[in-house]
Amino acid sequence: MDTRSRVVEVAARLLRESGPAAVTTRGVAEAAGVQAPAIYRLFGDKDGLIEAVAEHVMTSYVAGKAAVVQSARAAGVDPLEDLRAGWDAQIAFGLANPSLFWLLGDPDRVRGSAAARAGRDVLAARVRRVAATGRLKVSERRAGDLIVAAAVGAIQTLLATTADERDPGLAAALYDAVLAQILTDPISADQQSELSVMVAFRAVAPTIDALSAAERQLVVEWLDRAIAARER
């Protein structure tokens, strides 16, 4: 392992175990077995180190989530069960790693993070599997945004409460509330709403091999426009 990787992993461990106060230039240098000037040479300053730690942690976490989603798809796991598993994992991660959650939750950091975008891609893949079943009554994007907003809110609320006073059913109740907003009731094909049909077709349109890439893109653009009009 090179020096940069070792320093980042040590800093991530200190953050996870002892909180932000432990992530000092001197403390990280000592724990990693390097001289303090090496930190400045590699990261510029403490903020640069923190940015590197955030991206490292997020990349590792997202890689694990992506592998789970691929396994679930290959094993034919029900899309709704897979979506729920992702929610539970996100809540558990946030509560188990509060310092990392606050660090990774910085909107400015998330907007510029490749790992954060990859994380949203993992959620999007889960949502698309649900959409393909014809159960979504909103666009995939809105469904994903609602899930993220609810998960972040649940974790923030629970972390703001002492462990012994937390409502153990809060996260589950929020998830159920989100499902009520994004899912249709199980119905027969002839009872599906026009919007849920469009959303389902949007989920599978990019995979239609009989169409050219340009044709698939055109179909997706038309459907996105139609779905957005219905959601206004």
Side-chain angles (χ1 to χ4, degrees), residues 114-129:
R117 289 192 296 274
R120 286 303 299 261
D121 288 345
V122 171
L123 173 60
R126 282 186 157 117
V127 171
R128 179 153 296 177
R129 292 189 68 217

Side-chain angles (χ1 to χ4, degrees), residues 36 224 226:
D224 283 343

Side-chain angles (χ1 to χ4, degrees), residues 61 85-97 150-155 158 171-172:
Y61 179 58
W87 169 276
D88 290 342
Q90 186 67 32
I91 299 298
F93 175 82
L95 295 183
N97 302 276
V152 171
I155 296 169
L158 292 169

Side-chain angles (χ1 to χ4, degrees), residues 12-41:
R13 176 175 55 78
L14 290 174
L15 179 66
R16 183 173 55 252
E17 296 176 352
S18 305
V23 187
T24 64
T25 302
R26 177 177 296 180
V28 172
E30 290 179 355
V34 300
Q35 297 297 314
I39 303 292
Y40 295 102
R41 185 175 66 254

Side-chain angles (χ1 to χ4, degrees), residues 41 79-80 96 124 126 141 172 192 201:
R41 185 175 66 254
L80 284 175
R126 282 186 157 117
R141 178 172 181 176
Q192 285 184 306
F201 188 29

Side-chain angles (χ1 to χ4, degrees), residues 13-70:
R13 176 175 55 78
L14 290 174
L15 179 66
R16 183 173 55 252
E17 296 176 352
S18 305
V23 187
T24 64
T25 302
R26 177 177 296 180
V28 172
E30 290 179 355
V34 300
Q35 297 297 314
I39 303 292
Y40 295 102
R41 185 175 66 254
L42 290 167
F43 305 100
D45 54 21
K46 179 181 175 181
D47 288 340
L49 173 60
I50 292 296
E51 289 294 330
V53 169
E55 194 69 7
H56 168 73
V57 171
M58 195 176 296
T59 298
S60 299
Y61 179 58
V62 168
K65 290 200 299 182
V68 170
V69 173
Q70 291 173 356

